[in-house]
Amino acid sequence: MSRLKKCQFRTCEEDSNNKCLLFHHFRKHDHLKWIEACQKDSLKTVSVFNLTHNFYVCNKHFLTKDYTRKLSPYKRFLNSMAVPSHHGDDSGECF
């Protein structure tokens, strides 16, 4: 059984019980930008290892342009330069 993933964006209460959402790990190369974007001070004290392995942001906080489709029109991959946003344009609907 997998662990429950929770979105770390300050105003979001989504978790992986919502099977229509994708949850993205914080990434090592730009974790500071993600912490700033999430507007959650408690993330500043989390180790980089822990942050990149155990903390997530849901797809509601990313723009459509932040994704690339590869291999199939149904698989979406987050671009390497994508940073979460309060005003993501993903509806969170199943795809």
Side-chain angles (χ1 to χ4, degrees), residues 8-45:
Q8 295 300 310
F9 205 86
R10 181 180 55 90
T11 58
C12 190
E13 296 184 8
E14 295 289 358
D15 63 40
S16 56
N17 283 325
N18 183 343
K19 301 301 181 199
C20 291
L21 296 177
L22 297 174
F23 286 83
H24 303 288
H25 282 281
F26 277 68
R27 298 180 302 202
K28 188 174 183 179
H29 77 275
D30 60 357
H31 70 278
L32 294 174
K33 289 180 184 177
W34 281 42
I35 290 171
E36 183 72 24
C38 287
Q39 302 172 355
K40 208 170 176 184
D41 288 339
S42 61
L43 294 174
K44 294 176 182 177
T45 61

Side-chain angles (χ1 to χ4, degrees), residues 28-90:
K28 188 174 183 179
H29 77 275
D30 60 357
H31 70 278
L32 294 174
K33 289 180 184 177
W34 281 42
I35 290 171
E36 183 72 24
C38 287
Q39 302 172 355
K40 208 170 176 184
D41 288 339
S42 61
L43 294 174
K44 294 176 182 177
T45 61
V46 177
S47 72
V48 174
F49 179 86
N50 195 17
L51 194 66
T52 58
H53 287 84
N54 300 308
F55 289 80
Y56 306 87
V57 176
C58 75
N59 62 293
K60 286 185 171 185
H61 306 289
F62 293 95
L63 302 171
T64 301
K65 69 178 183 144
D66 290 333
Y67 291 94
T68 303
R69 294 197 183 274
K70 296 180 184 175
L71 306 174
S72 148
Y74 305 107
K75 296 233 181 208
R76 299 189 316 174
F77 295 88
L78 197 59
N79 295 330
S80 64
M81 300 307 289
V83 175
S85 164
H86 179 66
H87 301 291
D89 61 6
D90 197 316

